[in-house]
């Protein structure tokens, strides 16, 4: 169903509730991703090839929270677009570019982890600084090409004869653009992630079985080498945790982005009859992925957690110092 004019249907209570809910999501997206960027930039021990991808991912997700989500929030709650048709194109371009860049980074992290776990001997060779820089450049350049070019030149709506009023910002796409952009932005990175994580899972399982066999052999002995047994048990537990983490990462990615990109392909073939509320729900599910990425890629890591605690304690100390100085100046 395509509305022909802008109408604000929501009552005051639902508007306040939605604004509060979305604002919490925006703040957590910006703060969480900024913490990741700050931690990697500040702490030398976090500056690894993998964390270069994590840092670039956090920059993309932080921009999603800063420049895309606030305007999408107003559009979703009010049902209207107050910022003109040119800014609508710019907003749509930034939306497509930053969300695609975020997804590309996720597939690069999966690719990097695959080499680290499955081919550790050639990892440093394959993931040199120049190669990491090249992959990060691709993660930003390709999304820019599939977003700004087609959208600003109206190529994404070639052959679509639906007139959109000035006070609406609806992202309509032609069948060709819907299929091509969804394949590049989601389905191809998803395939890379699925293959990489499946291979990592199999490698982790194989290692766990080997460790288990070694433990059985040791147990058959006279109970010596207990420290070795304990080390192997810790390794096995770590492998199990890593496999579980991979499952969570992949599951979250699919749950939050699959509905939007499936609908994105289907909608042009069913005459653009999808209700706006369905689009909004699926789009905000995708945005939520940007707010969860710092937790999945940062907070699961012990070094990151330690860095976050240090950053928070420094922030608290700074706040106390500012309060103390302001209190002293008030007294004087």
């Amino acid at each position: 169903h395509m509305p022909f004019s802008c109408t604000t249907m929501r009552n005051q209570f639902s508007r306040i509730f939605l604004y509060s809910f979305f604002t919490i999501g925006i703040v957590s997206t910006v703060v969480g991703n900024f913490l990741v960027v700050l931690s990697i930039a500040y702490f030398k021990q976090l500056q690894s090839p993998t964390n270069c991808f994590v840092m670039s991912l956090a920059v993309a997700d932080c921009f999603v929270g800063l420049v895309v989500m606030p305007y999408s929030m107003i559009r979703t709650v009010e049902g209207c677009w107050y910022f003109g048709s040119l800014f609508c194109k710019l907003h749509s371009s930034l939306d497509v570019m930053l969300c695609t860049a975020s997804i590309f980074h996720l597939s690069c992290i999966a690719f990097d982890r695959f080499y680290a776990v499955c081919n550790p001997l050639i990892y440093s060779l394959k993931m040199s600084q120049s190669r990491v820089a090249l992959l990060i450049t691709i993660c930003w350049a390709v999304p820019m090409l599939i977003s700004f070019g087609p959208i600003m030149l109206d190529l994404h709506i070639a052959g679509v004869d639906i007139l959109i009023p000035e006070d609406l910002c609806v992202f309509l796409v032609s069948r060709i653009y819907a299929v091509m952009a969804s394949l590049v932005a989601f389905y191809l990175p998803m395939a890379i992630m699925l293959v990489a994580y499946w291979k990592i899972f199999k490698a982790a399982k194989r290692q766990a079985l080997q460790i288990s066999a070694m433990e059985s052999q040791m147990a058959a002995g006279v109970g010596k080498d207990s420290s070795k047994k304990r080390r192997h048990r810790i390794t096995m537990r770590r492998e199990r945790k890593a496999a579980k983490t991979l499952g969570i990462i992949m599951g979250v990615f699919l749950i939050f982005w699959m509905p939007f990109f499936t609908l994105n392909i289907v909608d042009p073939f069913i005459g653009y009859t999808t209700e706006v509320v369905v689009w909004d729900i699926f789009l905000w599910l995708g945005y939520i992925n940007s707010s969860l990425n710092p937790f999945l890629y940062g907070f699961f890591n012990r070094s990151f957690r330690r860095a976050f605690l240090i950053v928070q304690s420094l922030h608290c100390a700074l706040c106390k110092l500012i309060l103390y100085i302001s209190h002293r100046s008030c007294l004087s």
Side-chain angles (χ1 to χ4, degrees):
H1 170 65
M2 185 56 58
F4 290 99
S5 66
C6 162
T7 49
T8 306
M9 304 285 286
R10 304 187 199 283
N11 59 43
Q12 196 66 17
F13 173 78
S14 65
R15 285 168 76 196
I16 291 165
F17 171 77
L18 286 170
Y19 273 126
S20 305
F21 178 73
F22 290 140
T23 303
I24 291 164
I26 291 165
V27 170
S28 67
T29 303
V30 174
V31 172
N33 285 292
F34 183 69
L35 264 176
V36 172
V37 174
L38 200 68
S39 300
I40 297 169
Y42 190 79
F43 296 100
K44 276 274 192 284
Q45 68 266 33
L46 289 176
Q47 290 166 12
S48 65
T50 308
N51 287 343
C52 285
F53 293 121
V54 173
M55 188 179 185
S56 192
L57 165 72
V59 169
D61 287 333
C62 196
F63 276 117
V64 169
L66 279 172
V67 300
V68 175
M69 287 166 75
Y71 298 101
S72 294
M73 171 180 71
I74 295 164
R75 180 182 61 191
T76 299
V77 177
E78 300 296 334
C80 305
W81 183 256
Y82 303 118
F83 312 104
S85 58
L86 180 64
F87 192 75
C88 172
K89 281 186 188 181
L90 188 65
H91 177 264
S92 297
S93 300
L94 284 165
D95 194 344
V96 173
M97 188 195 103
L98 292 168
C99 290
T100 305
S102 178
I103 293 166
F104 269 42
H105 280 94
L106 299 182
S107 63
C108 274
I109 292 166
F111 182 69
D112 172 83
R113 292 296 78 211
F114 162 72
Y115 267 111
V117 174
C118 301
N119 298 293
L121 298 175
I122 59 164
Y123 174 72
S124 56
L125 191 74
K126 287 283 181 186
M127 284 298 162
S128 60
Q129 281 188 324
S130 58
R131 189 156 292 186
V132 169
L134 176 67
L135 285 169
I136 288 171
T137 305
I138 291 166
C139 284
W140 287 98
V142 175
M144 202 178 284
L145 284 171
I146 67 164
S147 59
F148 275 89
I151 293 167
M152 297 308 282
L153 296 169
D154 285 336
L155 300 175
H156 68 301
I157 50 169
V160 179
D161 57 353
I162 295 170
L163 194 69
I164 301 162
E166 284 270 320
D167 56 4
L168 286 175
C169 184
V170 183
F171 187 56
L172 282 184
V173 290
S174 65
R175 291 178 180 185
I176 294 168
Y177 183 84
V179 174
M180 296 304 290
S182 298
L183 282 172
V184 173
F186 177 74
Y187 290 100
L188 186 64
M190 181 191 75
I192 292 167
M193 287 175 75
L194 281 170
V195 170
Y197 285 143
W198 175 244
K199 284 183 180 287
I200 293 168
F201 176 73
K202 276 169 72 179
K205 205 174 177 185
R206 194 164 57 246
Q207 283 177 329
L209 285 169
Q210 286 168 353
I211 292 162
S212 182
M214 285 169 75
E215 274 198 320
S216 300
Q217 285 176 353
M218 285 176 179
V222 283
K224 53 189 176 180
D225 289 332
S226 59
S227 63
K228 269 188 184 178
K229 285 185 200 175
R230 196 159 53 247
R231 260 202 314 275
H232 285 311
R233 252 197 304 276
I234 291 162
T235 308
M236 199 172 172
R237 208 161 34 237
R238 199 181 293 134
E239 296 296 350
R240 206 177 290 125
K241 191 186 171 189
K244 199 188 290 178
T245 304
L246 294 178
I248 293 166
I249 285 167
M250 200 65 225
V252 166
F253 172 70
L254 291 174
I255 288 164
F256 288 103
W257 273 123
M258 182 71 90
F260 175 81
F261 280 100
T262 304
L263 185 62
N264 196 46
I265 288 179
V266 170
D267 192 52
F269 291 92
I270 57 169
Y272 307 98
T273 53
T274 308
E275 292 288 339
V276 174
V277 68
V278 177
W279 272 115
D280 281 339
I281 290 165
F282 287 177
L283 182 63
W284 279 95
L285 274 177
Y287 291 157
I288 289 167
N289 191 242
S290 289
S291 62
L292 290 177
N293 283 337
F295 294 92
L296 295 174
Y297 293 90
F299 302 150
F300 271 172
N301 186 306
R302 193 180 293 160
S303 302
F304 266 109
R305 285 201 300 272
R306 205 175 291 128
F308 293 145
L309 287 170
I310 293 165
V311 168
Q312 280 179 323
S313 61
L314 284 169
H315 178 258
C316 289
L318 190 67
C319 286
K320 282 176 186 173
L321 183 67
I322 291 163
L323 283 168
Y324 174 73
I325 291 164
S326 62
H327 180 66
R328 285 295 295 267
S329 62
C330 285
L331 288 172
S332 59

